[in-house]
Amino acid sequence: MTEIHLNDEALAFIEEQVKTGAYESAEDVVAAGLSRLGSEDELLRTMIAEADAQLERGEFVRFDMLTHTRIRSSNGGCAY
């Protein structure tokens, strides 16, 4: 079995989760955290893939990084 070392803050969090009855054991807390991390990672990868597809289709809006405003085209519309 792999041994891991956690800082005091992480250990306190795990202990509190078990103490309050939210989880039955430290292993359950870690497993839930890893499951959530995996789900969030999968969602992020899906969102990035969709953003890449939108960019390829030309579905984007340009923004001015200094003013945080959309850049308007010469005809008054948003530049795409």
Side-chain angles (χ1 to χ4, degrees), residues 7-48:
N7 63 31
D8 291 341
E9 184 179 346
L11 288 171
F13 177 79
I14 291 170
E15 289 172 4
E16 183 67 21
Q17 296 302 304
V18 174
K19 181 180 173 183
T20 62
Y23 296 91
E24 290 187 25
S25 67
E27 290 83 5
D28 290 343
V29 177
V30 173
L34 291 172
S35 176
R36 183 168 182 176
L37 180 61
S39 295
E40 289 177 359
D41 185 61
E42 184 178 333
L43 176 60
L44 181 58
R45 290 176 188 277
T46 300
M47 293 170 67
I48 290 171

Side-chain angles (χ1 to χ4, degrees), residues 33-80:
L34 291 172
S35 176
R36 183 168 182 176
L37 180 61
S39 295
E40 289 177 359
D41 185 61
E42 184 178 333
L43 176 60
L44 181 58
R45 290 176 188 277
T46 300
M47 293 170 67
I48 290 171
E50 178 57 28
D52 287 344
Q54 288 174 333
L55 185 60
E56 292 228 0
R57 293 190 302 264
E59 300 171 359
F60 61 90
V61 177
R62 296 181 192 271
F63 285 89
D64 183 307
M65 295 294 288
L66 296 176
T67 64
H68 298 100
T69 57
R70 289 183 180 190
I71 298 174
R72 299 285 177 180
S73 64
S74 59
N75 65 5
C78 289
Y80 288 100

